[in-house]
Amino acid sequence: MSRREEKRAEQADRLAELQAREELGALRAGAGAARPVEPGRGEGPGEDGGGRSRRGRKGRNESGSRPRGLFVPPRGWYGPGGGRVGYLDPPTMWRATTVQACGMWPFAAGSGSPMTGVPLGQHLFTGATVCGDPLNWFTRARYISNPSLFMLGMPGLGKSTLVNRMLIGLSATGVVPLVLGDLKPDYADTVRALGGQVISIGRGRGGINVLDPGAMGAAAARIGGEAGEVLKAETHGRVLNMVAALITIVRGRPMDDHEQSVLSAVLHHLRERSPQGRTVLLPDVLRVLAEGPDRVRAVTLDRGDDARYRDAVDPLHRSLLGILDGPLGDTFASETSTRIDPAAPAVCIDISGIGEADTQLTAAAMLAAWSDGLGTVAASHALADAGLEPRRWFFTVLDELWRPLRAASGIVDRIDALTRLNRSLGLGDAKITHTLKDAEALGTDADRAKARGFVERAGMVVCAGLPKAEMEDLGKVVGLSRREIELVSSWSSPPGWGVSGEHEEPPGRGRFLIKVGGRPGIPIKVAITDAERRLHDTNTRWTPNEKTVERAVEQELAHTAAQVARAAREGAYALPTGPEGPAAGGDAGRWTS
């Protein structure tokens, strides 16, 4: 309401108040006037002769007209004690479809917030509910052409909390969440609550056999025929790429082309010679390289010269020894500790047991988890194509993307292939990192360009609080207005200085901007429920649990009791005795020296 309109409203209220006061005074003045009484009627107080009210049955006054009711201004009376308020509560807002609210037109207004997908939160300006996720916006709403999400934001502002909500909502619709490498962990408790499978990977916790065909091998045997052979060939290529990725991590550079040919020949030899039901391991690859069978020698072009063969395979042999006995330890040297259950409603591969500084093992474990998880997805679709299983959709989460990207120069190629093929693979994905500068830290210009392509190809880009300089760089890729840059930049401010000792939340916690193509961004506020708060707490290491608190209290009480007992033995303190003692009703809880 403008200032002029507010003045007019105040003048109207004052005029109505004056008229109401005059009417009230007139009613009070005429209340005591004498009235004739009809003969034969009673004269009870307040009644006419017939026992009826003086105002009549219908509440009319002496003149026969109905008096006007006392007018109360909508904002209250002016003056002290009048209850005058300067603000009126806005009317309640309701949302409905055009079929339900068609009769209310033109008293309805659209807010422009999407309602397809998982309920995420409320629009920051209109308060309308905002729903969305990559799968529903791709399959049902057709808002995006690629079922992928890229999320950026500073730590502690709720990025993984929002993705957790998507996992819960998508799981309720039959989508299978796959968290392929949980680093903190952020999603393990949610997956357990959904009845899913949590697999721990790390030294002394569990391992992954990268040569295990897994779900794809089982699906190929079940399908059989030509389709089964095609799936076996794809399984061979996936295993070959995974071993090549491990060697890339150990070396810090990609494998040579002839080494990949040698490795492929070794894997074929092992598949043909291994007994039925026995899984091939990495030590078996070393044994075949040492033996040098004819099939492997033919690829090296040794021409019967053992020295030429050793020169060709020794670099590969050394790299494999580095995987088994080097920084990767025995995580990939033995059988897979726990296989992914293709029928699980959700899967989380927990690698939080790997240390922060162990970047090579972290990257290797994440790549192995991605290979195993995506192999399960491919097996599920192959079984569905053969009519043996129902069709299932999957949603993968790649959190802390910057950690595997920095491990080796060849890792970005494998993630790049994943982002280009997710439509044909029948899965959506969410990639989470902090800033675009994570991509700038890569070693080569080609890798940096590919990493920037993750953002460009994403169907949804979600921004939490980011510095202004970072938002301006992101605006060159996504297309952000000046107002959107200022809004998201304001969310990156730190919390205020708490004077009451309470925890002050950052102003940007739970606030996100959703961008889709060149459309205006949708700012939302996410308020988590108590159930979500119990499932997802990224600060558990900073919060003492109940057992720790109870143990500390018990230790403090035991320490205090030991001090008191020692002091009593030494005679430093004595209980009061005599007529002032406990038997005489003295203060038994007081000590005297």
Side-chain angles (χ1 to χ4, degrees):
M1 181 182 293
S2 65
R3 181 60 181 165
R4 181 176 299 176
E5 293 174 344
E6 189 174 355
K7 267 192 168 183
R8 290 177 181 173
E10 290 180 359
Q11 291 174 359
D13 288 350
R14 288 181 183 276
L15 180 59
E17 181 182 352
L18 291 175
Q19 292 176 352
R21 289 183 184 277
E22 290 177 1
E23 185 177 350
L24 180 61
L27 290 175
R28 288 176 177 173
R35 300 183 64 247
V37 179
E38 288 185 46
R41 300 290 185 181
E43 295 185 2
E47 295 182 350
D48 57 17
R52 293 175 298 179
S53 171
R54 289 175 181 167
R55 297 187 59 180
R57 292 182 179 178
K58 293 185 178 181
R60 298 182 181 274
N61 57 17
E62 294 83 348
S63 62
S65 63
R66 187 188 300 274
R68 294 181 58 186
L70 183 62
F71 176 79
V72 179
R75 297 192 183 186
W77 299 99
Y78 285 92
R84 176 71 177 176
V85 296
Y87 174 75
L88 288 178
D89 291 332
T92 305
M93 296 179 62
W94 301 86
R95 292 194 65 153
T97 64
T98 54
V99 175
Q100 295 169 324
C102 58
M104 300 177 62
W105 189 89
F107 305 105
S111 61
S113 300
M115 290 289 290
T116 304
V118 178
L120 300 180
Q122 289 183 305
H123 196 287
L124 201 59
F125 301 140
T126 66
T129 303
V130 178
C131 303
D133 61 81
L135 269 73
N136 282 292
W137 280 15
F138 174 72
T139 57
R140 294 172 55 197
R142 302 292 182 181
Y143 294 150
I144 57 179
S145 59
N146 190 17
S148 62
L149 178 149
F150 198 96
M151 184 178 295
L152 303 99
M154 297 178 66
L157 296 183
K159 299 187 299 297
S160 52
T161 301
L162 181 62
V163 175
N164 254 299
R165 173 164 294 184
M166 290 186 183
L167 293 185
I168 297 171
L170 288 172
S171 177
T173 63
V175 177
V176 181
L178 298 176
V179 185
L180 305 178
D182 195 355
L183 287 158
K184 292 183 179 177
D186 286 336
Y187 309 94
D189 291 339
T190 300
V191 170
R192 289 191 186 96
L194 294 174
Q197 181 186 26
V198 178
I199 302 172
S200 297
I201 300 298
R203 295 189 180 96
R205 296 172 178 263
I208 296 179
N209 178 18
V210 295
L211 304 183
D212 188 354
M216 293 184 68
R222 183 178 175 185
I223 294 172
E226 184 179 352
E229 294 300 323
V230 171
L231 193 57
K232 284 183 180 179
E234 186 177 348
T235 304
H236 173 81
R238 186 176 295 275
V239 170
L240 178 62
N241 289 334
M242 187 59 230
V243 179
L246 293 183
I247 293 175
T248 299
I249 292 174
V250 172
R251 290 182 176 180
R253 62 175 181 83
M255 290 178 61
D256 296 331
D257 54 351
H258 71 277
E259 290 179 320
Q260 295 192 29
S261 300
V262 171
L263 183 60
S264 178
V266 171
L267 294 177
H268 279 300
H269 176 81
L270 287 171
R271 300 291 184 201
E272 295 170 358
R273 300 295 192 277
S274 297
Q276 186 71 23
R278 183 183 180 277
T279 305
V280 179
L281 302 175
L282 280 180
D284 296 330
V285 177
L286 293 176
R287 177 177 53 79
V288 172
L289 287 176
E291 293 175 355
D294 294 338
R295 181 167 185 171
V296 178
R297 287 179 176 270
V299 177
T300 62
L301 300 178
D302 66 329
R303 297 182 176 87
D305 188 352
D306 190 67
R308 287 171 60 89
Y309 172 75
R310 295 301 170 190
D311 291 341
V313 301
D314 278 352
L316 178 60
H317 200 152
R318 282 193 295 268
S319 297
L320 290 172
L321 286 174
I323 294 175
L324 297 176
D325 301 328
L328 303 187
D330 58 351
T331 307
F332 307 101
S334 58
E335 293 280 355
T336 300
S337 55
T338 305
R339 288 189 176 184
I340 295 178
D341 182 7
V347 177
C348 174
I349 299 182
D350 181 8
I351 60 173
S352 59
I354 302 175
E356 289 282 340
D358 204 342
T359 57
Q360 288 189 338
L361 182 57
T362 298
M366 292 188 76
L367 286 176
W370 294 349
S371 179
D372 198 9
L374 296 179
T376 303
V377 172
S380 176
H381 289 313
L383 292 172
D385 294 338
L388 300 176
E389 293 287 345
R391 180 75 64 189
R392 305 176 77 194
W393 291 347
F394 299 85
F395 181 65
T396 61
V397 178
L398 310 179
D399 203 348
E400 301 291 342
L401 190 63
W402 60 274
R403 292 185 65 176
L405 287 179
R406 295 183 183 181
S409 60
I411 304 302
V412 68
D413 292 326
R414 312 200 178 270
I415 304 175
D416 181 64
L418 171 63
T419 60
R420 293 178 184 273
L421 299 176
N422 54 355
R423 285 191 304 172
S424 59
L425 291 176
L427 61 88
D429 71 273
K431 294 178 285 295
I432 308 171
T433 189
H434 294 153
T435 67
L436 282 180
K437 291 184 173 58
D438 295 334
E440 299 299 328
L442 298 179
T444 64
D445 293 336
D447 285 349
R448 287 191 288 270
K450 292 173 185 176
R452 285 193 295 269
F454 299 161
V455 186
E456 296 172 351
R457 290 191 301 275
M460 299 172 60
V461 177
V462 180
C463 303
L466 286 169
K468 189 173 183 179
E470 179 68 24
M471 287 300 299
E472 290 176 349
D473 293 339
L474 181 62
K476 300 175 183 178
V477 180
V478 178
L480 298 169
S481 66
R482 178 56 53 185
R483 175 64 182 137
E484 291 171 344
I485 292 176
E486 293 175 355
L487 177 65
V488 179
S489 300
S490 66
W491 298 340
S492 63
S493 303
W497 301 108
V499 296
S500 60
E502 299 292 334
H503 294 288
E504 295 286 341
E505 284 196 352
R509 178 170 293 175
R511 287 172 167 80
F512 303 92
L513 180 71
I514 303 175
K515 288 288 294 185
V516 174
R519 299 181 181 181
I522 305 173
I524 64 172
K525 166 66 175 176
V526 179
I528 63 175
T529 62
D530 292 337
E532 290 175 309
R533 188 175 290 107
R534 288 192 297 269
L535 288 175
H536 181 66
D537 183 8
T538 57
N539 294 325
T540 53
R541 295 292 177 88
W542 296 94
T543 305
N545 54 33
E546 295 180 359
K547 292 183 179 179
T548 303
V549 174
E550 292 176 358
R551 191 180 302 112
V553 171
E554 292 176 356
Q555 292 176 353
E556 183 66 23
L557 289 175
H559 180 66
T560 303
Q563 286 183 329
V564 171
R566 184 168 57 253
R569 287 195 302 269
E570 294 174 356
Y573 297 94
L575 286 171
T577 57
E580 301 295 333
D587 189 356
R590 200 176 284 174
W591 294 85
T592 57
S593 59

